[in-house]
Amino acid sequence: MANPNSAVAIAVDNDATAEAQSPEERRQALRMVEALLFAAAEPLAADDLAGRLPSGADVTGILRELQAVYADRGVNLTQVAGKWSLRTAADLSFLLSRDAVEQKRLSRAAMETLAIISYHQPVTRAEIEEIRGVATSKGTLDLLLETGWIRMRGRRKTPGRPVTYGTTDGFLSHFGLDGIGDLPGLDELKGAGLLDSRIPTDFSIPEPHDGDELTEDEDPLEDEEILDAGADDLVAEEAAERQAD
């Protein structure tokens, strides 16, 4: 657990930094952040912004101020996957629907697989199939890998050492999530009608692990494995694991 005294110290340091800046320096730094966000092709992290600003700029405070400024405008300053970007206000998205590129809809199998990976990560193919109750085709995982929404994380420390899968920052960005913890919880899923109201009382939503750090039951993937391993080899290995079970 974080030391509360450390949090207080950080807040004091930020306030001191802000006070050390003159109003003109503060205004100029705010304009610089606004320009960087407007021109960026991808969301920017606070550290990326800090590296472009004069030393001592209060990046955190500037982002909070800009977020408030843009709150009621046609574009909003949004934090997604820990990074910041200017996006069309949600209630005005209909204006751009005519210009949007229609993307191919995922199959039901792909959507189910993506949902299982997002909530249960890190998860193996065999575990996905156990949850779904049916076999998962090679093409389903290949498609999700190609979209950039899932990635191979590591290998489970079990016989056969099957590959584990998890989501990516691209997944968070596409669905407008700052972190995997922003996925809908039990009450939200019920409210949206996505869960039966008569589910068992002991039913719970799993807590996924989406950090880059491997869990205790995962081994890292080899560099050559990430670049050169064929999907057929991975499928064969996981088929052997299922047969062993």
Side-chain angles (χ1 to χ4, degrees):
M1 181 178 295
N3 186 340
N5 293 330
S6 299
V8 172
I10 292 173
V12 170
D13 289 342
N14 287 340
D15 290 342
T17 300
E19 291 175 1
Q21 291 182 301
S22 69
E24 181 58 31
E25 289 174 333
R26 172 82 175 190
R27 175 176 170 277
Q28 182 65 7
L30 188 146
R31 293 179 65 240
M32 293 172 69
V33 170
E34 187 176 28
L36 289 168
L37 290 169
F38 178 79
E42 297 179 350
L44 298 175
D47 288 344
D48 297 330
L49 294 167
R52 305 279 191 93
L53 299 181
S55 177
D58 177 21
V59 178
T60 301
I62 289 172
L63 286 169
R64 286 199 300 263
E65 184 174 343
L66 281 175
Q67 194 171 35
V69 168
Y70 279 95
D72 297 323
R73 294 191 178 181
V75 292
N76 300 148
L77 179 56
T78 308
Q79 187 174 19
V80 177
K83 298 181 179 181
W84 297 85
S85 66
L86 291 169
R87 296 194 169 190
T88 303
D91 62 323
L92 298 179
S93 59
F94 70 92
L95 294 171
L96 306 180
S97 59
R98 185 177 62 181
D99 302 319
V101 177
E102 185 174 353
Q103 297 181 343
K104 183 178 179 180
R105 293 176 63 87
L106 291 180
S107 66
R108 178 175 178 176
M111 288 297 294
E112 289 177 355
T113 300
L114 180 61
I116 290 170
I117 292 173
S118 62
Y119 277 97
H120 291 264
Q121 60 185 300
V123 62
T124 67
R125 178 175 175 171
E127 292 165 347
I128 293 170
E129 292 179 343
E130 181 180 356
I131 295 169
R132 287 191 66 216
V134 295
T136 299
S137 71
K138 166 177 132 11
T140 298
L141 287 171
D142 286 347
L143 174 63
L144 293 175
L145 287 167
E146 289 171 6
T147 63
W149 291 351
I150 69 169
R151 64 187 175 93
M152 295 187 292
R153 290 176 45 91
R155 285 190 174 275
R156 183 80 77 213
K157 294 179 181 178
T158 57
R161 300 183 66 245
V163 170
T164 56
Y165 296 92
T167 54
T168 65
D169 284 350
F171 167 83
L172 297 176
S173 179
H174 181 83
F175 290 98
L177 304 172
D178 186 30
I180 207 67
D182 293 330
L183 284 169
L186 185 58
D187 292 338
E188 293 171 292
L189 292 173
K190 282 183 180 179
L194 299 176
L195 285 179
D196 194 315
S197 60
R198 295 169 296 177
I199 59 176
T201 56
D202 60 347
F203 182 84
S204 62
I205 298 293
E207 295 184 7
H209 174 89
D210 70 331
D212 292 332
E213 304 82 7
L214 298 177
T215 59
E216 293 183 358
D217 63 348
E218 288 180 289
D219 282 327
L221 290 167
E222 300 295 334
D223 292 340
E224 296 80 4
E225 190 173 26
I226 297 174
L227 296 173
D228 303 325
D232 289 338
D233 293 336
L234 298 178
V235 170
E237 290 167 1
E238 293 179 352
E241 178 208 13
R242 293 194 297 275
Q243 291 176 356
D245 292 340

